Amino acid sequence: MLIVHHLGNSQSERVVWLLEELALPYRLVRYERDPATRLAPSAYKALHAFGTAPVLDDGDLRLTESGAIVEYVIHTHGAGRFSLRPGAPNYADFLFWWHFANGSMMPAAMTNGLVARLGGGDDPLARSLSARLDLAYDMVEARLKNVPYFAGEELTGADILMLFPLTTMRRFSPRDISGYPAIQAYLQRVGARPAYQRAMAKAEPNLAPMLS
Ligand SMILES: N[C@@H](CCC(=O)N[C@@H](CS)C(=O)NCC(=O)O)C(=O)O
């Protein structure tokens, strides 16, 4: 049985969503963030040397890093569903958005949130790194003007990874998305998926998903 250790308001919601999309059985263990620091509690930190969410158990295997977990689940338990193979017409798009999520957009959102929290910052490097989030939102908007999902016509793992910075991450790095109509339409599209609704009802029973 797969066990998802889910930290409230965190990237581990990606894993819950994927498991619901794949209709795989799993057990969810939920942990609340420390109310003062907003970090993971010590029980969560004890799960793994790096102490971050998500953490997935599959028998004796314990795996972290959301990108690795999504890839592992898709190929080990999901028969490759929600992935594209080399040679598929949108393979490069699939790869790009899959990696953009954690390689560029999440770091930009985290820097942006941190710089805002520290009072804006006059440091040109901090300003420039923080402004990468504007570029990311513009790129996402341009992409979603042309396709319903990041890799093209169908939902893939790229969406599982890209959704978090566009939704729950805005609790940590606030962002007005009223100027991004394609992003708003995408969030409504994903929000209408029964698997996403089930996942968020289980992962965050007391919070509405940030779909607007
Ligand atoms: N690249 C990692 C990032 C993990 C990460 O930063 N997780 C955050 C939650 S969104 C976390 O665990 N924060 C609590 C803490 O650091 O104590 C991944 O994708 O799994």
Side-chain angles (χ1 to χ4, degrees), residues 119-187:
D122 293 331
D123 181 82
L125 179 61
R127 265 210 313 277
S128 161
L129 291 176
S130 175
R132 283 186 181 174
L133 192 58
D134 299 335
L135 304 177
Y137 266 89
D138 290 348
M139 287 170 61
V140 169
E141 177 70 11
R143 176 68 180 158
L144 294 176
K145 264 187 188 144
N146 296 323
V147 283
Y149 292 103
F150 278 97
E153 294 304 313
E154 305 288 340
L155 182 101
T156 67
D159 299 281
I160 302 286
L161 291 165
M162 277 299 295
L163 191 74
F164 179 81
L166 298 171
T167 53
T168 307
M169 188 60 196
R170 285 189 282 122
R171 294 208 166 96
F172 301 89
S173 177
R175 180 111 203 155
D176 175 9
I177 60 163
S178 57
Y180 299 104
I183 293 177
Q184 290 181 59
Y186 172 76
L187 297 185

Side-chain angles (χ1 to χ4, degrees), residues 7-14 33-34 37-41 44-45 50-55 64-69 102-103 106-107 110 161 164 168-169 172:
L7 174 67
N9 268 312
S10 88
Q11 308 182 43
S12 40
E13 69 181 42
R14 290 165 160 166
R33 285 177 181 266
D34 181 304
T37 63
R38 295 179 91 188
L39 294 172
Y44 204 99
K45 298 246 170 248
F50 205 52
T52 54
V55 174
T64 66
E65 278 301 323
S66 48
I69 293 173
N102 275 357
M106 280 300 295
M110 284 171 132
L161 291 165
F164 179 81
T168 307
M169 188 60 196
F172 301 89

Side-chain angles (χ1 to χ4, degrees), residues 70-99:
V70 170
E71 194 164 348
Y72 174 85
V73 169
I74 282 176
H75 292 293
T76 309
H77 295 280
R81 206 174 152 215
F82 301 129
S83 74
L84 295 182
R85 291 182 167 280
N90 293 337
Y91 178 60
D93 294 315
F94 165 73
L95 278 186
F96 174 80
W97 291 106
W98 177 295
H99 288 280

